[in-house]
Short mmCIF file of all heavy atoms in Angstrom, two decimals:
data_model
loop_
_atom_site.label_atom_id
_atom_site.label_comp_id
_atom_site.label_asym_id
_atom_site.label_seq_id
_atom_site.Cartn_x
_atom_site.Cartn_y
_atom_site.Cartn_z
N THR C 84 15.53 -7.86 -152.94
CA THR C 84 14.49 -7.84 -153.95
C THR C 84 14.56 -6.58 -154.80
O THR C 84 14.74 -5.48 -154.27
CB THR C 84 13.10 -7.94 -153.30
OG1 THR C 84 13.07 -9.10 -152.46
CG2 THR C 84 12.01 -8.07 -154.35
N MET C 85 14.44 -6.76 -156.11
CA MET C 85 14.45 -5.64 -157.04
C MET C 85 13.27 -5.75 -157.98
O MET C 85 12.76 -6.84 -158.23
CB MET C 85 15.77 -5.58 -157.81
CG MET C 85 16.97 -5.32 -156.90
SD MET C 85 18.51 -5.13 -157.78
CE MET C 85 18.31 -3.50 -158.54
N TYR C 86 12.85 -4.60 -158.50
CA TYR C 86 11.63 -4.53 -159.32
C TYR C 86 11.86 -3.62 -160.53
O TYR C 86 12.67 -2.70 -160.47
CB TYR C 86 10.47 -3.90 -158.51
CG TYR C 86 10.26 -4.42 -157.12
CD1 TYR C 86 11.03 -3.96 -156.06
CD2 TYR C 86 9.25 -5.34 -156.85
CE1 TYR C 86 10.82 -4.43 -154.77
CE2 TYR C 86 9.03 -5.80 -155.56
CZ TYR C 86 9.82 -5.33 -154.52
OH TYR C 86 9.60 -5.78 -153.24
N TRP C 87 11.07 -3.87 -161.55
CA TRP C 87 10.91 -2.92 -162.65
C TRP C 87 9.44 -2.54 -162.74
O TRP C 87 8.57 -3.41 -162.79
CB TRP C 87 11.36 -3.50 -163.99
CG TRP C 87 12.83 -3.41 -164.22
CD1 TRP C 87 13.73 -4.42 -164.22
CD2 TRP C 87 13.58 -2.22 -164.50
NE1 TRP C 87 15.00 -3.95 -164.46
CE2 TRP C 87 14.93 -2.60 -164.65
CE3 TRP C 87 13.24 -0.87 -164.64
CZ2 TRP C 87 15.95 -1.68 -164.92
CZ3 TRP C 87 14.25 0.05 -164.90
CH2 TRP C 87 15.59 -0.36 -165.04
N TYR C 88 9.19 -1.21 -162.75
CA TYR C 88 7.85 -0.67 -162.94
C TYR C 88 7.84 0.15 -164.22
O TYR C 88 8.86 0.73 -164.61
CB TYR C 88 7.46 0.27 -161.78
CG TYR C 88 7.21 -0.38 -160.45
CD1 TYR C 88 8.27 -0.68 -159.59
CD2 TYR C 88 5.91 -0.65 -160.01
CE1 TYR C 88 8.04 -1.27 -158.34
CE2 TYR C 88 5.68 -1.21 -158.77
CZ TYR C 88 6.75 -1.51 -157.94
OH TYR C 88 6.52 -2.07 -156.71
N LEU C 96 1.38 3.77 -162.89
CA LEU C 96 2.57 3.00 -162.52
C LEU C 96 2.18 1.55 -162.33
O LEU C 96 1.35 1.23 -161.50
CB LEU C 96 3.12 3.51 -161.19
CG LEU C 96 4.29 4.45 -161.21
CD1 LEU C 96 4.43 5.13 -159.87
CD2 LEU C 96 5.56 3.70 -161.56
N LYS C 97 2.84 0.66 -163.10
CA LYS C 97 2.49 -0.76 -162.98
C LYS C 97 3.75 -1.61 -162.89
O LYS C 97 4.75 -1.33 -163.54
CB LYS C 97 1.68 -1.20 -164.20
CG LYS C 97 0.29 -0.63 -164.26
CD LYS C 97 -0.51 -1.21 -165.39
CE LYS C 97 -0.83 -2.68 -165.14
NZ LYS C 97 -1.74 -3.24 -166.16
N ILE C 98 3.66 -2.65 -162.11
CA ILE C 98 4.79 -3.56 -161.95
C ILE C 98 4.99 -4.36 -163.23
O ILE C 98 4.02 -4.74 -163.91
CB ILE C 98 4.58 -4.52 -160.75
CG1 ILE C 98 5.81 -5.41 -160.53
CG2 ILE C 98 3.32 -5.36 -160.93
CD1 ILE C 98 7.04 -4.68 -160.10
N MET C 99 6.24 -4.59 -163.57
CA MET C 99 6.56 -5.46 -164.71
C MET C 99 7.18 -6.76 -164.19
O MET C 99 6.74 -7.85 -164.52
CB MET C 99 7.54 -4.77 -165.64
CG MET C 99 7.03 -3.50 -166.28
SD MET C 99 8.29 -2.69 -167.24
CE MET C 99 8.49 -3.84 -168.60
N PHE C 100 8.25 -6.62 -163.43
CA PHE C 100 8.98 -7.79 -162.94
C PHE C 100 9.40 -7.58 -161.49
O PHE C 100 9.57 -6.45 -161.03
CB PHE C 100 10.28 -8.00 -163.74
CG PHE C 100 10.10 -8.26 -165.19
CD1 PHE C 100 10.30 -7.25 -166.12
CD2 PHE C 100 9.74 -9.51 -165.65
CE1 PHE C 100 10.14 -7.48 -167.47
CE2 PHE C 100 9.57 -9.76 -166.99
CZ PHE C 100 9.77 -8.73 -167.91
N SER C 101 9.62 -8.71 -160.83
CA SER C 101 10.18 -8.68 -159.49
C SER C 101 11.19 -9.81 -159.38
O SER C 101 10.92 -10.94 -159.80
CB SER C 101 9.04 -8.85 -158.47
OG SER C 101 9.56 -9.02 -157.19
N TYR C 102 12.35 -9.50 -158.82
CA TYR C 102 13.41 -10.49 -158.64
C TYR C 102 13.78 -10.54 -157.17
O TYR C 102 13.89 -9.51 -156.50
CB TYR C 102 14.67 -10.09 -159.43
CG TYR C 102 14.77 -10.70 -160.79
CD1 TYR C 102 13.91 -10.29 -161.81
CD2 TYR C 102 15.72 -11.68 -161.07
CE1 TYR C 102 14.01 -10.85 -163.07
CE2 TYR C 102 15.81 -12.24 -162.33
CZ TYR C 102 14.95 -11.82 -163.32
OH TYR C 102 15.04 -12.37 -164.57
N ILE C 108 10.57 -13.71 -159.60
CA ILE C 108 9.43 -14.19 -158.82
C ILE C 108 8.10 -13.66 -159.34
O ILE C 108 7.06 -14.24 -159.09
CB ILE C 108 9.58 -13.88 -157.32
CG1 ILE C 108 9.86 -12.40 -157.07
CG2 ILE C 108 10.68 -14.71 -156.71
CD1 ILE C 108 9.89 -12.05 -155.58
N ILE C 109 8.11 -12.56 -160.06
CA ILE C 109 6.88 -12.03 -160.64
C ILE C 109 7.15 -11.54 -162.05
O ILE C 109 8.11 -10.81 -162.29
CB ILE C 109 6.31 -10.86 -159.79
CG1 ILE C 109 5.76 -11.39 -158.47
CG2 ILE C 109 5.22 -10.11 -160.55
CD1 ILE C 109 5.25 -10.31 -157.56
N ASN C 110 6.27 -11.94 -162.97
CA ASN C 110 6.30 -11.42 -164.34
C ASN C 110 4.85 -11.11 -164.69
O ASN C 110 4.05 -12.02 -164.86
CB ASN C 110 6.87 -12.47 -165.29
CG ASN C 110 6.84 -12.01 -166.75
OD1 ASN C 110 6.13 -11.06 -167.10
ND2 ASN C 110 7.58 -12.66 -167.59
N GLU C 111 4.55 -9.81 -164.73
CA GLU C 111 3.15 -9.41 -164.91
C GLU C 111 2.77 -9.36 -166.38
O GLU C 111 2.58 -8.29 -166.95
CB GLU C 111 2.91 -8.04 -164.24
CG GLU C 111 2.87 -8.13 -162.74
CD GLU C 111 1.64 -8.86 -162.23
OE1 GLU C 111 0.56 -8.74 -162.85
OE2 GLU C 111 1.75 -9.56 -161.20
N ALA C 145 13.30 -0.40 -158.65
CA ALA C 145 13.12 -0.23 -157.22
C ALA C 145 13.72 -1.41 -156.48
O ALA C 145 13.97 -2.47 -157.08
CB ALA C 145 11.64 -0.08 -156.87
N SER C 146 13.94 -1.25 -155.19
CA SER C 146 14.42 -2.37 -154.39
C SER C 146 13.81 -2.32 -153.00
O SER C 146 13.34 -1.26 -152.56
CB SER C 146 15.95 -2.36 -154.29
OG SER C 146 16.40 -1.31 -153.45
N SER C 147 13.81 -3.46 -152.33
CA SER C 147 13.32 -3.52 -150.95
C SER C 147 13.97 -4.69 -150.24
O SER C 147 14.56 -5.58 -150.87
CB SER C 147 11.80 -3.66 -150.91
OG SER C 147 11.38 -4.91 -151.42
N ASN C 154 9.32 -2.99 -145.10
CA ASN C 154 9.78 -3.28 -146.45
C ASN C 154 9.49 -2.11 -147.39
O ASN C 154 8.95 -2.27 -148.46
CB ASN C 154 9.13 -4.55 -146.98
CG ASN C 154 7.61 -4.46 -146.95
OD1 ASN C 154 7.05 -3.50 -146.43
ND2 ASN C 154 6.94 -5.44 -147.51
N GLN C 156 9.93 0.46 -150.17
CA GLN C 156 10.58 0.32 -151.46
C GLN C 156 11.26 1.63 -151.83
O GLN C 156 10.71 2.71 -151.65
CB GLN C 156 9.55 -0.08 -152.53
CG GLN C 156 9.05 -1.50 -152.34
CD GLN C 156 8.27 -2.04 -153.51
OE1 GLN C 156 8.31 -1.52 -154.62
NE2 GLN C 156 7.54 -3.11 -153.26
N PHE C 158 12.97 3.74 -154.90
CA PHE C 158 12.89 3.84 -156.35
C PHE C 158 14.07 4.61 -156.93
O PHE C 158 14.60 5.53 -156.31
CB PHE C 158 11.60 4.55 -156.77
CG PHE C 158 10.37 3.69 -156.62
CD1 PHE C 158 9.80 3.48 -155.38
CD2 PHE C 158 9.81 3.07 -157.73
CE1 PHE C 158 8.67 2.67 -155.24
CE2 PHE C 158 8.68 2.27 -157.61
CZ PHE C 158 8.12 2.07 -156.36
N ASP D 155 -4.06 -6.79 -153.07
CA ASP D 155 -4.17 -5.57 -152.28
C ASP D 155 -5.55 -4.95 -152.47
O ASP D 155 -6.05 -4.88 -153.58
CB ASP D 155 -3.11 -4.56 -152.71
CG ASP D 155 -1.70 -5.01 -152.33
OD1 ASP D 155 -1.58 -5.77 -151.36
OD2 ASP D 155 -0.75 -4.60 -152.99
N TYR D 190 2.91 6.77 -150.43
CA TYR D 190 4.08 7.14 -151.22
C TYR D 190 3.74 8.43 -151.96
O TYR D 190 2.56 8.75 -152.16
CB TYR D 190 4.42 6.06 -152.25
CG TYR D 190 5.17 4.87 -151.69
CD1 TYR D 190 4.53 3.93 -150.89
CD2 TYR D 190 6.53 4.70 -151.96
CE1 TYR D 190 5.23 2.85 -150.37
CE2 TYR D 190 7.24 3.62 -151.44
CZ TYR D 190 6.59 2.70 -150.64
OH TYR D 190 7.28 1.64 -150.13
N ILE D 243 -1.81 3.31 -150.46
CA ILE D 243 -1.70 1.91 -150.89
C ILE D 243 -1.89 1.00 -149.69
O ILE D 243 -1.27 1.22 -148.64
CB ILE D 243 -0.31 1.65 -151.52
CG1 ILE D 243 -0.08 2.55 -152.73
CG2 ILE D 243 -0.16 0.19 -151.91
CD1 ILE D 243 1.34 2.54 -153.26
N LEU D 244 -2.73 -0.02 -149.83
CA LEU D 244 -2.90 -1.00 -148.77
C LEU D 244 -1.94 -2.17 -148.99
O LEU D 244 -1.79 -2.66 -150.11
CB LEU D 244 -4.34 -1.51 -148.72
CG LEU D 244 -5.41 -0.47 -148.45
CD1 LEU D 244 -6.77 -1.13 -148.32
CD2 LEU D 244 -5.10 0.33 -147.19
N ARG D 245 -1.30 -2.60 -147.92
CA ARG D 245 -0.35 -3.71 -147.99
C ARG D 245 -0.66 -4.70 -146.89
O ARG D 245 -0.65 -4.37 -145.71
CB ARG D 245 1.07 -3.18 -147.81
CG ARG D 245 1.49 -2.15 -148.83
CD ARG D 245 2.07 -2.79 -150.04
NE ARG D 245 3.41 -3.30 -149.79
CZ ARG D 245 4.00 -4.22 -150.55
NH1 ARG D 245 3.36 -4.72 -151.58
NH2 ARG D 245 5.22 -4.62 -150.29
N ASP D 246 -0.86 -5.93 -147.28
CA ASP D 246 -1.13 -6.97 -146.28
C ASP D 246 0.11 -7.23 -145.45
O ASP D 246 1.24 -7.12 -145.93
CB ASP D 246 -1.58 -8.25 -146.98
CG ASP D 246 -1.98 -9.32 -145.98
OD1 ASP D 246 -3.11 -9.26 -145.46
OD2 ASP D 246 -1.15 -10.21 -145.71
N SER D 249 2.61 -9.33 -147.11
CA SER D 249 2.95 -9.00 -148.51
C SER D 249 4.44 -9.02 -148.76
O SER D 249 4.88 -9.15 -149.89
CB SER D 249 2.37 -7.65 -148.90
OG SER D 249 2.85 -6.64 -148.04
N GLY D 250 5.21 -8.88 -147.68
CA GLY D 250 6.66 -9.01 -147.80
C GLY D 250 7.23 -8.15 -148.89
O GLY D 250 7.00 -6.94 -148.93
N ASN D 251 7.98 -8.76 -149.80
CA ASN D 251 8.61 -8.02 -150.87
C ASN D 251 7.81 -8.09 -152.16
O ASN D 251 8.36 -8.16 -153.25
CB ASN D 251 10.03 -8.53 -151.09
CG ASN D 251 10.95 -8.13 -149.97
OD1 ASN D 251 10.84 -7.03 -149.44
ND2 ASN D 251 11.83 -9.02 -149.58
N THR D 252 6.51 -8.06 -152.06
CA THR D 252 5.68 -8.03 -153.27
C THR D 252 5.61 -6.60 -153.79
O THR D 252 5.84 -5.64 -153.04
CB THR D 252 4.26 -8.53 -152.97
OG1 THR D 252 3.71 -7.72 -151.93
CG2 THR D 252 4.27 -9.99 -152.55
N PRO D 253 5.32 -6.45 -155.07
CA PRO D 253 5.28 -5.11 -155.66
C PRO D 253 4.16 -4.25 -155.08
O PRO D 253 3.16 -4.76 -154.57
CB PRO D 253 5.02 -5.37 -157.14
CG PRO D 253 5.39 -6.79 -157.36
CD PRO D 253 5.11 -7.50 -156.08
N LEU D 254 4.35 -2.96 -155.19
CA LEU D 254 3.30 -2.01 -154.82
C LEU D 254 2.26 -1.95 -155.94
O LEU D 254 2.61 -2.02 -157.11
CB LEU D 254 3.90 -0.62 -154.60
CG LEU D 254 4.91 -0.51 -153.45
CD1 LEU D 254 5.63 0.82 -153.51
CD2 LEU D 254 4.19 -0.67 -152.12
N VAL D 255 1.01 -1.79 -155.55
CA VAL D 255 -0.07 -1.61 -156.53
C VAL D 255 -0.53 -0.16 -156.43
O VAL D 255 -1.17 0.23 -155.45
CB VAL D 255 -1.24 -2.57 -156.25
CG1 VAL D 255 -2.35 -2.33 -157.26
CG2 VAL D 255 -0.76 -4.02 -156.31
N PHE D 256 -0.19 0.61 -157.42
CA PHE D 256 -0.50 2.04 -157.41
C PHE D 256 -1.86 2.30 -158.04
O PHE D 256 -2.19 1.73 -159.09
CB PHE D 256 0.56 2.83 -158.20
CG PHE D 256 1.91 2.89 -157.55
CD1 PHE D 256 2.85 1.90 -157.77
CD2 PHE D 256 2.24 3.94 -156.70
CE1 PHE D 256 4.10 1.96 -157.17
CE2 PHE D 256 3.48 4.02 -156.09
CZ PHE D 256 4.42 3.02 -156.33
#
Side-chain angles (χ1 to χ4, degrees):
Chain C
T84 305
M85 296 184 73
Y86 313 81
W87 277 109
Y88 290 83
L96 260 164
K97 290 186 69 173
I98 184 66
M99 298 175 69
F100 299 101
S101 172
Y102 266 71
I108 53 175
I109 289 177
N110 176 343
E111 286 291 326
S146 72
S147 67
N154 57 353
Q156 290 192 17
F158 285 78
Chain D
D155 291 334
Y190 280 73
I243 300 170
L244 300 184
R245 301 272 286 161
D246 185 80
S249 58
N251 288 323
T252 57
L254 296 169
V255 178
F256 290 88

